[in-house]
Amino acid sequence: MTEKMYGYFGKMLEIDLTDGEMKEIPLEKSTAQKYIGGIGLAGRIIYDNVPAGTDPLSPQNVLVFPCGPTHGTGVPWSNRWVVSALSPETGFWGRATSGGAFGPALKQCGYDAIIFKGKSPKPVFLHITEDFAELKDATHLWGKDSMEAEKEIRRELKDPDVRIADIGQAGEHMVRFAAVMDDMGRAAGRTGMGAVMGSKNLKAIAASGHLDVEVANPKELYKLIMGAIEFGKDGPIGAIFSRYGTGFAGVSGPLAGALFTTGKYWRESNPLKDKMDVALKMTNQYKEMFVNNFHCEYCPTGCGGVVSVNGQEMHRWEYEAGYTFNNCCMVFDTNYLAKANDLCNRYGIDVITGGNVVAFAMFAREKGWVSQKDTDGLDLQFGSGDAVLQMLHKIAYREGFGNTLADGILPAARRIKPGAEKYTVHCKGLPLGGWDPRAFAPMFISYGIANRGGDHVYGGMNGMMPYGFHLDKGKRMDPHSLKGAARGVLPNDSTIILFDTLPLCLFSMLLQPELLGAFLSAITGWELGIRDIFRISDRIRTMTRLVDCRFGCRKENDFVSMPFKAESSGYWLPKRKEIEKELEEYYHLRGWSKDGVPTMQRIQELGIENVKEALPTKSA
């Protein structure tokens, strides 16, 4: 019998979709203490269950929905949930996170993780409560978008409070950057987890859990919660995001993104420079379409928002949708931005990769690599909002030229023109987030070391801002230098891992690591100091790197592909040797080899067990 744990139910549910068999697997205390939950637990499960050579869209891939000890405890920002598998977009470690209320509801069904294996012979969805788990026929839901499916499942189950994560048509058609959606427009967007669900004929998970999560020290936890709530409401993030969302001034592309992202697919810096009339027009459009804000479960910030376009209400876009559709595609019309974001939510498309592949197609049209005939009659010119909307539809259904783009940025470029992949902007095959590394050079290292590819969060979302946030013992990092980048990126990387492991929304990012340890100690009863939680983070980082390395990831894959020179005085493009030096310094600090492979010595120091690969014994 599994030893009792506070903050956990001590069991996981494994479902073989091929035959519908379900079985409970114990979550041992030693595993929970080493990997906690979220991405940590997912990394361990993926490593143990997905062998080298696995096709990410085959039944042999494993799809994991790991919960965490904060879920169901009332800890602020503990709405965040994780989904993980081998990525069909990159071929490496895949994971995505979303908000809403699905994560806590899943945990309160009584499991610490749900693990899907195999492939169902027909479309199904999982209905799970604290009393039962059942696979139900989803044939009638197949073909519906994510919002239609969510409404239909709720009607069918006669449960208005059920929380649902599902896929739209992009996931069904295995678009390799398909998202998993929840709460009528929240997205676990990156690395194609929706495509993995589609490959397994899994349309949705409907969770309706109400079990209490027992904690070790309720009084201490309550005190910590109340302090964090006050911080969340009155702190700088709450003050800005609760009013405007992640777009700051409401128009995320022009007013926030123009500082760091580039127009015409990364080639034109600050596309709204000297065009403030356009930015003001979009700001006024936003004011007219704004309806209201909303909060995810347990969130004191409330960055979510609703807008109305021609009488139709939809989720307000996030920063990244603004960067891709405004700046990369040059569509400076807030109505089109809202519609493009809504289509991505309905079809289940990652807005970052989706916007980047459309922008690259526009770039290819401009270069003469594709004609209007090649693109099914669509005039894929920069600035065409109609072309963006129509191409998103074609991608979701893999229709015509949309099928060319549906496998991601590198396959699309190769199909458009042999050798065109050298003009793509990505890391490990994942398009970059809306933070241009040429504006803040340490982001070349931040993107490079991120375990899922072109990830703007790990190692750098805070650090890339050349104002306000300091790294490396309080010193501001030089935006035009890589000196000290590895040492500056590493503590940020380690801290963000903790947020995604508990898991907590990153908009609680101003919480100090000591407070994260205090939350975990109050929930579990484990005495965890700052050294303890960073050792856990180090273990998780190395564990997920082992997954990447199993599938061929080495130093060569950690270089950002940035083919376009900086044309602004504020931009700088470092030499490859400079990047390589800092990557190797990061590996050294992690205890990995010069090629980015964890050494057996470091694995043993971190207490990672059952490692099957032959690895270097010591770092060089």
Side-chain angles (χ1 to χ4, degrees):
M1 184 175 178
T2 304
E3 184 179 351
K4 176 179 172 60
M5 292 184 286
Y6 293 105
Y8 296 87
F9 289 104
K11 58 183 179 178
M12 302 178 287
L13 182 64
E14 182 180 283
I15 302 172
D16 188 334
L17 291 166
T18 304
D19 57 15
E21 181 184 355
M22 301 185 189
K23 62 181 178 181
E24 293 183 353
I25 300 173
L27 175 64
E28 301 296 342
K29 183 177 180 180
S30 59
T31 301
Q33 287 180 319
K34 283 185 175 182
Y35 302 103
I36 306 300
I39 66 165
L41 184 58
R44 182 74 255 187
I45 293 170
I46 297 296
Y47 182 84
D48 289 340
N49 287 275
V50 184
T54 298
D55 180 342
L57 295 178
S58 73
Q60 287 68 48
N61 200 1
V62 172
L63 181 70
V64 185
F65 287 80
C67 300
T70 61
H71 281 152
T73 63
V75 169
W77 300 286
S78 62
N79 53 72
R80 211 70 186 169
W81 57 272
V82 175
V83 56
S84 183
L86 182 63
S87 168
E89 185 173 4
T90 68
F92 298 124
W93 159 260
R95 62 121 186 118
T97 67
S98 183
F102 173 74
L106 185 64
K107 170 68 173 284
Q108 289 178 269
C109 291
Y111 293 101
D112 298 309
I114 310 296
I115 305 167
F116 292 98
K117 295 183 174 182
K119 176 182 179 179
S120 173
K122 64 178 183 180
V124 294
F125 74 91
L126 174 68
H127 182 207
I128 184 169
T129 75
E130 61 263 37
D131 297 317
F132 65 86
E134 177 186 10
L135 289 173
K136 299 178 72 71
D137 183 27
T139 304
H140 60 299
L141 301 173
W142 210 253
K144 294 184 181 295
D145 71 37
S146 69
M147 297 182 194
E148 293 170 338
E150 184 171 341
K151 291 176 183 176
E152 181 60 32
I153 291 171
R154 192 166 277 113
R155 283 194 294 266
E156 182 177 328
L157 299 180
K158 297 181 173 62
D159 183 354
D161 297 322
V162 67
R163 301 301 181 176
I164 298 162
D166 65 357
I167 57 173
Q169 294 92 331
E172 293 174 357
H173 290 91
M174 289 178 278
V175 173
R176 288 179 181 262
F177 45 91
V180 182
M181 307 302 301
D182 70 306
D183 276 19
M184 301 296 288
R186 309 310 272 172
R190 306 237 67 191
T191 68
M193 296 298 96
V196 178
M197 281 185 68
S199 75
K200 295 183 176 299
N201 275 333
L202 179 64
K203 179 67 175 179
I205 301 171
S208 186
H210 303 91
L211 292 175
D212 290 333
V213 178
E214 194 174 357
V215 301
N217 194 335
K219 290 183 178 179
E220 178 62 20
L221 183 61
Y222 178 79
K223 185 168 67 174
L224 292 167
I225 287 172
M226 295 311 294
I229 288 174
E230 289 303 311
F231 175 85
K233 288 192 301 185
D234 300 333
I237 288 181
I240 297 172
F241 288 169
S242 63
R243 184 173 181 182
Y244 299 115
T246 60
F248 287 56
V251 186
S252 49
L255 298 185
L259 294 174
F260 297 118
T261 63
T262 54
K264 290 193 172 182
Y265 190 65
W266 297 87
R267 293 175 299 139
E268 182 179 301
S269 59
N270 297 336
L272 283 189
K273 186 178 181 181
D274 302 323
K275 297 179 183 177
M276 285 307 296
D277 57 326
V278 179
L280 289 173
K281 181 197 79 169
M282 293 185 70
T283 301
N284 289 330
Q285 282 181 325
Y286 168 74
K287 289 177 180 178
E288 292 175 2
M289 66 172 53
F290 174 74
V291 177
N292 61 265
N293 288 319
F294 65 86
H295 294 244
C296 293
E297 189 93 337
Y298 302 127
C299 179
T301 303
C303 72
V306 175
V307 296
S308 177
V309 179
N310 298 327
Q312 180 184 356
E313 292 190 355
M314 56 192 68
H315 273 224
R316 177 174 60 201
W317 58 91
E318 305 287 353
Y319 170 87
E320 300 294 345
Y323 124 69
T324 56
F325 297 121
N326 284 163
N327 288 8
C328 280
C329 295
M330 301 291 285
V331 179
F332 296 112
D333 185 304
T334 306
N335 289 305
Y336 277 112
L337 172 57
K339 289 176 183 177
N341 185 69
D342 186 59
L343 280 185
C344 287
N345 287 344
R346 291 179 179 277
Y347 293 145
I349 294 175
D350 171 23
V351 297
I352 298 179
T353 298
N356 267 273
V357 295
V358 173
F360 184 82
M362 291 175 166
F363 167 63
R365 177 79 170 88
E366 186 179 86
K367 296 283 285 185
W369 298 341
V370 294
S371 67
Q372 193 165 340
K373 182 180 178 181
D374 295 325
T375 58
D376 311 319
L378 287 181
D379 192 11
L380 275 177
Q381 299 287 351
F382 284 109
S384 174
D386 287 327
V388 169
L389 299 183
Q390 292 178 64
M391 191 50 66
L392 289 173
H393 173 86
K394 287 180 173 292
I395 289 170
Y397 285 89
R398 284 187 174 270
E399 292 179 353
F401 190 70
N403 189 50
T404 298
L405 304 182
D407 284 332
I409 194 70
L410 286 175
R414 293 180 183 121
R415 289 171 188 163
I416 286 171
K417 176 182 170 63
E421 65 270 19
K422 69 183 180 182
Y423 293 98
T424 59
V425 178
H426 69 91
C427 185
K428 299 182 182 71
L430 191 71
L432 308 187
W435 306 87
D436 195 325
R438 294 169 299 180
F440 190 73
M443 283 295 290
F444 279 100
I445 308 306
S446 175
Y447 281 124
I449 59 90
N451 54 15
R452 62 178 178 175
D455 188 332
H456 61 287
V457 175
Y458 275 73
M461 187 172 72
N462 302 350
M464 76 83 52
M465 298 180 184
Y467 53 87
F469 294 90
H470 295 172
L471 297 175
D472 197 14
K473 298 181 180 179
K475 296 179 181 178
R476 179 173 301 199
M477 298 182 72
D478 185 346
H480 296 157
S481 171
L482 288 181
K483 185 178 180 180
R487 290 186 177 275
V489 161
L490 187 139
N492 220 36
D493 182 36
S494 296
T495 303
I496 299 299
I497 287 168
L498 294 172
F499 283 95
D500 276 353
T501 296
L502 291 172
L504 296 175
C505 177
L506 291 185
F507 291 160
S508 63
M509 59 190 167
L510 293 184
L511 296 178
Q512 295 300 307
E514 291 87 349
L515 186 55
L516 301 182
F519 273 126
L520 190 55
S521 295
I523 292 169
T524 64
W526 305 332
E527 293 298 326
L528 297 170
I530 192 71
R531 290 179 179 271
D532 300 311
I533 62 169
F534 275 115
R535 180 174 171 80
I536 292 170
S537 176
D538 287 347
R539 182 182 299 116
I540 292 168
R541 183 65 188 90
T542 293
M543 184 78 255
T544 56
R545 182 68 176 190
L546 284 170
V547 176
D548 276 343
C549 289
R550 171 177 285 176
F551 292 92
C553 185
R554 298 294 187 269
K555 177 173 62 180
E556 183 64 29
N557 305 99
D558 292 344
F559 287 92
V560 172
S561 172
M562 177 53 74
F564 306 115
K565 293 182 179 180
E567 58 178 64
S568 166
S569 60
Y571 283 24
W572 179 69
L573 193 62
K575 293 181 174 61
R576 184 179 175 90
K577 279 290 184 184
E578 295 173 300
I579 297 173
E580 183 175 33
K581 179 182 177 182
E582 289 301 317
L583 286 175
E584 290 182 356
E585 174 65 10
Y586 176 88
Y587 303 153
H588 173 72
L589 294 171
R590 285 287 184 203
W592 304 348
S593 75
K594 277 194 171 183
D595 206 22
V597 179
T599 66
M600 190 56 69
Q601 177 182 347
R602 185 58 176 156
I603 289 167
Q604 292 170 349
E605 289 171 353
L606 292 171
I608 299 174
E609 300 172 339
N610 300 319
V611 173
K612 302 168 186 177
E613 277 78 15
L615 299 171
T617 55
K618 294 182 179 180
S619 60

